[in-house]
Amino acid sequence: MVKKIVLLIIFNMIFLFSDADLSQKFMIEGLKKYLSGDNDGAVDLLQRSIEEDSSNQKAQNALLNIYIFLGKKYYNETGYSTSKKYFEKAL
């Protein structure tokens, strides 16, 4: 719950205080997908954000956090074998 609140605050700050170029738009949409539970959609949009602007540290951090979240989630649900790919992507 706290994570979702923090992401909403970040989303609002980005939207209100930036020009929201294409990379930022992909990042914002990716965060929206994540908050709605669409992890795959979030990953896709955050990757597109990084492709548009490889220096977008906020998108990189968000993607990293999603990979870690998914790794933990799948580790708890199915064990190490499924979660391994997400932890490797986080590296």
Side-chain angles (χ1 to χ4, degrees):
M1 184 65 175
V2 171
K3 180 172 53 173
K4 289 184 179 185
I5 292 170
V6 170
L7 286 173
L8 281 172
I9 292 169
I10 291 171
F11 164 73
N12 286 328
M13 287 174 45
I14 292 168
F15 184 73
L16 293 173
F17 302 116
S18 76
D19 293 334
D21 63 0
L22 190 55
S23 176
Q24 294 294 325
K25 288 180 183 179
F26 284 136
M27 184 182 71
I28 290 167
E29 291 302 314
L31 292 173
K32 285 181 184 177
K33 292 274 187 188
Y34 176 67
L35 292 174
S36 72
D38 182 0
N39 295 315
D40 292 331
V43 167
D44 289 341
L45 286 165
L46 289 167
Q47 287 174 335
R48 288 179 68 187
S49 174
I50 295 166
E51 288 171 9
E52 290 294 324
D53 179 6
S54 62
S55 67
N56 187 338
Q57 193 66 43
K58 292 175 185 173
Q60 292 173 9
N61 289 340
L63 185 59
L64 171 67
N65 286 322
I66 290 172
Y67 284 146
I68 292 170
F69 167 77
L70 291 172
K72 289 178 182 179
K73 174 185 172 193
Y74 287 115
Y75 181 79
N76 290 330
E77 290 176 3
T78 62
Y80 179 72
S81 62
T82 306
S83 66
K84 181 181 175 184
K85 73 176 186 177
Y86 293 105
F87 289 130
E88 287 176 344
K89 288 180 180 186
L91 296 176

